Amino acid sequence: MLELNKNYFELFGLSLSFQVDLSLLKSNYRQILLKVHPDKFAHTTEQERRIALQYTALINEAYKTLVSPLHRAIYFLALHGVSINLENNTAMPAEFLLEQINFREAIETAEENEQKLLIIASEISELKQTIIKNLTVLFEKITEENLSKAKQFVLKLTFFEKLLADIKERVQH
Amino acid sequence: MSYGKKVLDHYEHPRNVGSFNEEEIKDGSVGTGMVGAPACGDVMKLQIKVDKSGKIIDTRFKTYGCGSAIASSSLATEWLKGKTLEEAQQIKNSEIAEYLSLPPVKIHCSILAEDAIKAAIADYRQHNQSETLKVKTDNE
């Protein structure tokens, strides 16, 4: 049962493609979880219980990674030998950073005005969707050039995700 | 996350916040550095105003990010004042991190500040170099 050597796509019986059928992923995830449910291991050995628990943790991590386009893209790049190195990558294109600062200022000016925040959020979501579309195309043909282009898109995506998370937090408060 | 005393001080009372206005930038004495950290989505803009002798006389910053990123850039703008560009170039992220007692997970905030300083210096040098070149070609 332990399939620690399989990659996340293989774990869920998906083909190695950036485009993921989310409903298939979800249903396969649920099925696997049922198989390793702690109730089924109530009368087994300590070791078997421990393995089941480890497997559950792995499956959860794999699901969390694949369900998010950002984390799926980072993982997909890693499988192809490209590390993002988020910690030390600070040189983004100037116009991109300017756009980020403009968004930040717009969010700040909107304060707690939910309607304004949601308008900004939809604008950011659109940019995010464009990036995901670009990634989908780039990942269809794995070449060194496409992977390096994809890496730049992934870096940008992290900023948009952060903006959306910040807006969500403001709206909820 | 609990922040250290020095981080809190800079976070609550950030120094040199803002931007230089058009008028101040017009004469080419301002260098602007913009950097961003994908790890946390933080964005930092740091500006230096340089006098004719190559000394930094004033600074500004705008940082959208966590307390550590704000403190790192606020501290950087303080340290930059009075330094020559060469001295400013020597500021290391480790000194910022050490001064603010940043925990390991927040080291990237100080890296961001160091990179912003370097970017601002590079920006200043770039348009001042082209200024000199322009003067040269004008004279020819």
Side-chain angles (χ1 to χ4, degrees), chain A residues 18 76-77 80 130-154:
Chain A
F18 178 68
F76 196 85
L77 281 173
H80 291 91
T130 310
I131 289 183
I132 294 172
K133 268 187 210 147
N134 279 313
L135 284 174
T136 309
V137 173
L138 289 169
F139 282 147
E140 267 167 20
K141 201 167 161 230
I142 305 295
T143 62
E144 211 167 299
E145 196 196 344
N146 277 2
L147 288 176
S148 108
K149 275 187 193 162
K151 182 175 169 174
Q152 291 309 312
F153 277 119
V154 169

Side-chain angles (χ1 to χ4, degrees), chain B:
Chain B
M1 160 107 34
S2 65
Y3 286 117
K5 239 193 204 158
K6 282 174 181 157
V7 173
L8 275 179
D9 176 39
H10 275 276
Y11 178 63
E12 282 165 6
H13 313 283
R15 329 306 196 245
N16 315 305
V17 177
S19 300
F20 289 116
N21 59 42
E22 299 281 318
E23 204 57 37
E24 291 168 297
I25 293 176
K26 222 167 54 185
D27 61 357
S29 64
V30 172
T32 302
M34 274 189 297
V35 289
C40 50
D42 290 356
V43 196
M44 192 178 282
K45 183 170 118 182
L46 191 147
Q47 293 181 306
I48 51 173
K49 195 169 177 57
V50 184
D51 72 5
K52 295 235 153 50
S53 69
K55 205 185 238 173
I56 297 168
I57 47 171
D58 206 356
T59 50
R60 293 282 185 278
F61 86 93
K62 244 180 180 179
T63 293
Y64 295 94
C66 68
S68 302
I70 291 168
S72 294
S73 36
S74 170
L75 179 67
T77 58
E78 272 205 320
W79 281 2
L80 283 170
K81 281 191 197 173
K83 282 198 164 63
T84 64
L85 291 178
E86 285 69 31
E87 288 164 348
Q89 191 84 37
Q90 301 305 317
I91 295 177
K92 293 271 171 300
N93 86 284
S94 52
E95 300 168 295
I96 296 170
E98 195 184 333
Y99 181 87
L100 294 171
S101 324
L102 295 181
V105 290
K106 289 294 177 185
I107 298 297
H108 67 264
C109 300
S110 63
I111 295 176
L112 202 59
E114 183 191 319
D115 289 352
I117 294 172
K118 297 228 157 77
I121 294 171
D123 180 59
Y124 172 80
R125 286 201 166 128
Q126 200 194 353
H127 51 236
N128 278 284
Q129 199 175 28
S130 51
E131 277 302 300
T132 11
L133 283 178
K134 211 165 76 193
V135 174
K136 245 190 202 164
T137 26
D138 283 352
N139 288 344
E140 272 166 10

Side-chain angles (χ1 to χ4, degrees), chain A residues 1-142:
Chain A
M1 188 192 76
L2 257 190
E3 294 164 309
L4 295 171
N5 55 340
K6 285 192 171 178
N7 71 43
Y8 292 172
F9 293 91
E10 290 167 336
L11 277 178
F12 295 108
L14 301 168
S15 57
L16 181 59
S17 158
F18 178 68
Q19 244 181 326
V20 162
D21 180 343
L22 286 178
S23 61
L24 183 67
L25 169 67
K26 208 172 265 181
S27 73
N28 288 355
Y29 169 62
R30 287 206 182 115
Q31 266 177 7
I32 296 173
L33 277 190
L34 282 177
K35 274 193 228 165
V36 291
H37 195 276
D39 286 355
K40 300 212 163 162
F41 292 83
H43 304 290
T44 59
T45 65
E46 173 86 16
Q47 195 195 8
E48 279 175 304
R49 273 202 297 276
R50 207 179 57 235
I51 290 171
L53 208 65
Q54 275 175 0
Y55 193 66
T56 309
L58 171 70
I59 286 293
N60 282 333
E61 181 61 34
Y63 178 74
K64 260 196 344 219
T65 303
L66 293 191
V67 86
S68 136
L70 172 62
H71 292 117
R72 191 194 315 142
I74 292 174
Y75 183 71
F76 196 85
L77 281 173
L79 283 181
H80 291 91
V82 179
S83 119
I84 290 286
N85 190 12
L86 291 175
E87 300 284 304
N88 297 312
N89 250 319
T90 65
M92 299 295 293
E95 67 271 28
F96 175 76
L97 291 169
L98 210 60
E99 179 189 59
Q100 284 294 310
I101 288 178
N102 288 339
F103 273 128
R104 295 284 188 166
E105 278 168 0
I107 292 170
E108 215 154 76
T109 333
E111 288 177 351
E112 306 297 314
N113 185 324
E114 199 172 316
Q115 207 182 349
K116 277 187 190 164
L117 286 172
L118 291 177
I119 291 172
I120 302 170
S122 77
E123 207 180 314
I124 296 168
S125 295
E126 243 172 73
L127 292 168
K128 178 184 150 179
Q129 289 313 320
T130 310
I131 289 183
I132 294 172
K133 268 187 210 147
N134 279 313
L135 284 174
T136 309
V137 173
L138 289 169
F139 282 147
E140 267 167 20
K141 201 167 161 230
I142 305 295

